[in-house]
Amino acid sequence: MAKTYDLYEFGLGNKRDAAIALKHYTRAANLGMATVEYFLSSVYQYHLMGVSKDERKVISYLDRAKLHGDNCVKVEVLLSYARLYSPTSDRTDFAFIPRDAWKMTDALQSAHAIDPDNPTVADWWGEELDKRKQYTTALSVYQRSSNTHTQQRVAQMYETGIGTAIDLPTALLWYKRSANQQLLADNSGIPTYYRSGSMAHIYRLVCQQKIAASAASPEFQQLEYDAYFQETLTHQAVRKLKTNPCIPIPGG
């Protein structure tokens, strides 16, 4: 019934429809439906559906969703808690909730224990471990992520021996995995060097003669590699740098 009247996502409906939808959502939540309880926490946090922001209700609905929810809901609730506790968040609300690195860490660790394959959990918890220099554990956590930037970090760790022994074949595998996802996500048609940071790292490895071009196949393309190499030379000439011409442009 709530979804029948909740037409906002379709660009339809009005305040009266929203009020009716909210009434039914609230009834469902009062019956212990965890997905709706979690949804209503967002409604009151971001004052959706015409309601006023109510931080106490946000926490109440998060607590209820964690109590009634399955593992999927529990993970999302724990991530919400982690965001509230994060010492680095720029929030100005929820003044009654102190920023607490230990509680944030506990929420992330609990979320990871429930679902280590959740990409947000793998990225965030892995990054926290990485910051704490718990590299071996961070590497294990990172490898469950589908995030291309996280996969690139995994490749760098195998390349440089952070948290593991140096392993160039495995590093190349992760660079390729990351690059292929990046390339699939971008159909702009511009040179690969600009499209994929991970392809730049693959070309760097070829340029530094750490791997053969054949090992970088089928992702390796000679014309794109030549463009990459020329870009690095131009960058270093303009900046008057005396570094290895195989090093890509910062941020590339």
Side-chain angles (χ1 to χ4, degrees):
M1 287 294 293
K3 288 182 177 293
T4 300
Y5 286 95
D6 188 5
L7 304 176
Y8 176 80
E9 62 181 308
F10 304 106
L12 303 171
N14 51 48
K15 289 183 178 180
R16 179 177 177 276
D17 294 329
I20 295 172
L22 181 62
K23 178 180 70 174
H24 290 297
Y25 279 133
T26 303
R27 287 177 173 176
N30 289 340
L31 292 172
M33 189 172 185
T35 52
V36 179
E37 291 169 328
Y38 180 70
F39 169 72
L40 287 177
S41 73
S42 296
V43 168
Y44 285 100
Q45 181 168 0
Y46 302 109
H47 47 86
L48 308 176
M49 304 182 73
V51 306
S52 298
K53 184 170 183 174
D54 189 324
E55 297 170 0
R56 299 286 179 181
K57 282 190 176 181
V58 174
I59 300 304
S60 175
Y61 277 120
L62 285 175
D63 289 342
R64 289 165 57 178
K66 184 182 178 185
L67 177 64
H68 300 139
D70 60 12
N71 284 346
C72 182
V73 172
K74 283 184 170 65
V75 167
E76 294 306 318
V77 171
L78 287 165
L79 285 171
S80 295
Y81 288 152
R83 293 183 187 101
L84 291 174
Y85 290 128
S86 173
T88 59
S89 85
D90 56 0
R91 66 175 174 86
T92 57
D93 50 6
F94 295 92
F96 60 94
I97 296 179
R99 299 174 189 276
D100 189 319
W102 185 88
K103 288 185 177 180
M104 180 196 74
T105 297
D106 184 61
L108 290 174
Q109 194 167 13
S110 296
H112 180 260
I114 293 172
D115 184 5
D117 292 319
N118 181 291
T120 303
V121 173
D123 293 341
W124 193 356
W125 180 228
E127 184 179 15
E128 289 300 318
L129 292 166
D130 206 341
K131 289 177 182 176
R132 293 167 169 77
K133 298 184 179 181
Q134 298 178 32
Y135 297 125
T136 301
T137 307
L139 179 61
S140 175
V141 172
Y142 276 151
Q143 291 185 77
R144 309 296 286 266
S145 174
S146 58
N147 184 305
T148 60
H149 296 291
T150 300
Q151 292 171 344
Q152 185 171 302
R153 174 59 177 160
V154 171
Q156 291 170 333
M157 293 174 84
Y158 275 111
E159 180 188 349
T160 58
I162 298 176
T164 183
I166 292 176
D167 186 339
L168 285 179
T170 301
L172 179 60
L173 183 152
W174 281 96
Y175 278 133
K176 284 185 174 185
R177 184 176 299 179
S178 173
N180 285 325
Q181 287 199 67
Q182 290 170 347
L183 296 176
L184 285 173
D186 191 326
N187 297 312
S188 62
I190 57 179
T192 300
Y193 172 68
Y194 295 99
R195 287 190 288 156
S196 169
S198 290
M199 276 308 305
H201 283 290
I202 291 173
Y203 289 153
R204 172 180 56 78
L205 290 174
V206 174
C207 183
Q208 293 174 329
Q209 299 184 347
K210 290 184 177 181
I211 62 171
S214 57
S217 297
E219 288 78 11
F220 181 91
Q221 296 182 34
Q222 187 65 49
L223 290 177
E224 291 175 339
Y225 172 74
D226 293 341
Y228 159 82
F229 187 67
Q230 187 57 51
E231 284 288 346
T232 62
L233 290 177
T234 300
H235 168 70
Q236 294 187 46
V238 169
R239 300 293 180 90
K240 297 180 180 181
L241 301 176
K242 297 180 179 180
T243 56
N244 190 327
C246 299
I247 303 300
I249 294 172

